[in-house]
Amino acid sequence: MNLKSYIFLTIVLSLLLTLLPLPVWAIWIRPLWVLLVLIYWVIASPTDVGLFVAWVIGLALDILNGSLLGEHALALIFAVYIASRLQRRFPIVSFLVQIWYVILIVISYQLTIFVIQGTSGRAITDARFWLSALISILLWPWVAALLRKGQQFYAIRRAG
Amino acid sequence: MFLDQHQVRLNDLRSLRTFCSGIVSPLQYFVDFPIKLFNNLQLNFSTQQSLLDDNANLKDQVLILQGQLQQYFSLEKENNQLRSLLQSSPRGTERYSVARILAVDPEPFTQQLILDKGEKNGVYIGQPVLDADGVFGQIIYVAPYTSRVLLITDTLSAIPVEDMRSSLRGLVLGRGNGQNLVLANMPESADIKPGDSLVTSGLGGDFPAGYPVGTVIKIERNSGEGFSHITVEPSAQLNRSRLVLLVWPLQPKTIIPPTKNITQQNDAPTKKGKKKK
């Protein structure tokens, strides 16, 4: 399996996880799988995953979620843009600073969705909306580690 | 995105969305499939006795419903006769189809669900959806093989209703909490009481008249404001139904009874309804 198909596979997997029905107590704490996977790939392979991919996946997410066309696309573009600007620093900073970067990216994503929902007349009134951001941040280390392990498992060399 | 918001006037984005939904909906089926399989497996392993019991119960239910239905047909005929006496157009009958809700969860702050019937099954945007107990929602997007229902509890949903007791007309809006609805803009002096049941009034053209929407559970009257805040509990089992009914109403969209005029009294009854585009 080469790098591109592995990237594609992980992105599709993240979309499926976003759709998966969860028990009632868990629906507000669903991690933002698509965002986490895209952040990983922007950092690990910026030549393959960039703003265009983010936009397309965002549109797919909009269609799956029934939200305004472009809502998640815009949110993902913001997040991926910030990630791409921070991409070079990721390998050299400490773990805590990395988490801080991820917090920044995830909060900006969630905030964009919040603002767009609010300005389009579908305001989010439940404060539990922010819990999914929290859990995504908490899960980031594991998701990143998993994706890296998968890369090693399939013995994929970086595209360069 | 902002084009999509005002998509009422632009139809091109709607077809783009339908096209993209066609590409993306296999993902939804893919997630739904194992859950459906699991449920079917559960059924396969039920004991024969429980299946026989279920079968007998269902046959009883069908018999009772058919008995009630016999009376419905004669009432419908009587209703049409009375309408023709009043020179009003006859009430059409509706076509129904059963759809299954796909086991796919959207975001929790919108109340929308995906159905397994789409454009190929004749589903159209704006189509009313019911469940066994009442109005469930309205179709907002259609893909080739799936469609999306906006539940009545979503903030975007508004249904014209009529109070069964007092014939008061109003609009029931969703609040976005998945639990209850609000009857909007009712003046304080309106004749409405807790326990009143609300049915669709048929105005606005989307929902055929007469289907139960909910029951009034609380009325708060603040003397400062001129309006009362009325909470309505939906009749439909929004959180539990797995099967819903899609309705194709055949009656005219709006019926305006002809005004009585001396010179027109002997005219044949004409259909005054206008089909909304």
Side-chain angles (χ1 to χ4, degrees):
Chain A
M1 189 187 298
N2 66 0
L3 185 65
K4 284 223 182 9
S5 20
Y6 180 63
I7 295 180
F8 182 72
L9 179 72
T10 53
I11 291 181
V12 166
L13 215 62
S14 70
L15 280 171
L16 289 178
L17 281 172
T18 314
L19 289 177
L20 203 67
L22 292 177
V24 171
W25 56 267
I27 52 176
W28 287 104
I29 54 170
R30 186 196 295 267
L32 305 164
W33 301 110
V34 178
L35 177 66
L36 291 177
V37 167
L38 278 181
I39 297 176
Y40 175 79
W41 284 119
V42 167
I43 296 168
S45 181
T47 48
D48 288 312
V49 171
L51 288 176
F52 180 70
V53 173
W55 182 67
V56 168
I57 301 294
L59 277 184
L61 212 51
D62 281 323
I63 303 219
L64 286 173
N65 278 325
S67 48
L68 274 186
L69 264 187
E71 175 177 331
H72 288 90
L74 194 65
L76 273 181
I77 284 181
F78 279 158
V80 163
Y81 177 70
I82 298 177
S84 65
R85 291 292 290 245
L86 295 171
Q87 183 257 331
R88 281 179 217 267
R89 307 191 205 187
F90 243 84
I92 37 184
V93 294
S94 67
F95 178 71
L96 276 182
V97 178
Q98 283 181 352
I99 297 285
W100 171 239
Y101 287 166
V102 170
I103 291 178
L104 200 65
I105 299 171
V106 171
I107 294 286
S108 75
Y109 174 85
Q110 206 65 331
L111 193 66
T112 315
I113 303 225
F114 185 71
V115 165
I116 296 177
Q117 290 270 155
T119 53
S120 65
R122 315 163 195 210
I124 297 169
T125 46
D126 203 319
R128 290 176 288 178
F129 168 71
W130 299 98
L131 281 179
S132 51
L134 183 66
I135 192 122
S136 309
I137 297 168
L138 291 174
L139 277 183
W140 159 255
W142 281 274
V143 170
L146 249 170
L147 288 172
R148 209 174 306 130
K149 269 279 185 306
Q151 211 171 340
Q152 289 167 356
F153 179 75
Y154 287 110
I156 300 167
R157 296 278 150 68
R158 291 267 303 272
Chain B
M1 185 179 14
F2 297 105
L3 283 177
D4 193 37
Q5 167 82 327
H6 299 289
Q7 68 174 6
V8 177
R9 295 192 193 109
L10 293 174
N11 282 320
D12 352 310
L13 267 185
R14 208 173 277 184
S15 42
L16 173 72
R17 205 183 187 118
T18 309
F19 172 71
C20 294
S21 297
I23 301 176
V24 152
S25 51
L27 280 174
Q28 293 167 330
Y29 271 113
F30 188 74
V31 172
D32 171 69
F33 175 70
I35 295 169
K36 193 168 76 153
L37 194 67
F38 178 68
N39 287 335
N40 284 344
L41 280 178
Q42 270 192 325
L43 271 180
N44 278 339
F45 287 119
S46 334
T47 60
Q48 194 201 26
Q49 187 54 45
S50 70
L51 284 177
L52 285 175
D53 288 340
D54 271 346
N55 200 323
N57 282 336
L58 285 171
K59 282 199 177 131
D60 287 342
Q61 267 186 22
V62 167
L63 193 58
I64 292 174
L65 287 171
Q66 277 178 334
Q68 290 174 340
L69 208 57
Q70 291 167 6
Q71 214 188 26
Y72 170 79
F73 286 130
S74 64
L75 279 175
E76 197 187 27
K77 192 162 162 212
E78 192 183 333
N79 188 279
N80 280 334
Q81 284 170 346
L82 289 171
R83 278 172 178 263
S84 62
L85 280 179
L86 291 172
Q87 298 191 324
S88 168
S89 47
R91 198 189 140 96
T93 45
E94 290 116 9
R95 181 164 78 89
Y96 299 99
S97 163
V98 179
R100 197 173 59 86
I101 299 177
L102 290 185
V104 168
D105 266 1
E107 294 169 316
F109 45 84
T110 57
Q111 268 80 41
Q112 296 173 7
L113 294 171
I114 313 275
L115 301 181
D116 69 343
K117 292 245 161 87
E119 210 173 12
K120 306 279 181 186
N121 307 97
V123 181
Y124 60 91
I125 295 185
Q127 177 165 26
V129 179
L130 319 168
D131 83 344
D133 301 307
V135 173
F136 198 75
Q138 205 169 14
I139 301 281
I140 47 172
Y141 295 125
V142 178
Y145 292 103
T146 57
S147 50
R148 185 176 285 273
V149 187
L150 186 78
L151 297 187
I152 51 177
T153 48
D154 191 288
T155 44
L156 293 176
S157 166
I159 305 185
V161 294
E162 190 179 346
D163 188 318
M164 266 181 72
R165 180 186 58 86
S166 60
S167 298
L168 184 72
R169 299 230 170 91
L171 209 57
V172 160
L173 308 177
R175 298 173 74 183
N177 61 8
Q179 307 288 337
N180 47 34
L181 316 159
V182 64
L183 185 59
N185 302 331
M186 279 287 133
E188 271 185 32
S189 52
D191 177 18
I192 188 148
K193 292 207 278 268
D196 279 355
S197 72
L198 301 172
V199 295
T200 52
S201 60
L203 299 175
D206 277 330
F207 286 90
Y211 289 106
V213 173
T215 331
V216 177
I217 46 175
K218 199 165 59 167
I219 303 180
E220 281 155 1
R221 292 187 166 102
N222 300 323
S223 47
E225 314 163 357
F227 297 105
S228 36
H229 183 91
I230 303 175
T231 317
V232 177
E233 188 182 343
S235 312
Q237 309 269 21
L238 295 168
N239 298 323
R240 273 180 272 158
S241 303
R242 275 280 168 229
L243 293 174
V244 293
L245 282 174
L246 293 158
V247 185
W248 279 262
L250 290 180
Q251 60 190 23
K253 295 283 186 141
T254 46
I255 300 178
I256 307 163
T259 50
K260 278 257 187 241
N261 194 327
I262 307 283
T263 55
Q264 285 175 346
Q265 231 168 5
N266 295 323
D267 281 355
T270 48
K271 197 149 103 162
K272 290 268 180 147
K274 274 203 190 98
K275 268 230 150 35
K276 204 166 66 160
K277 178 56 194 85

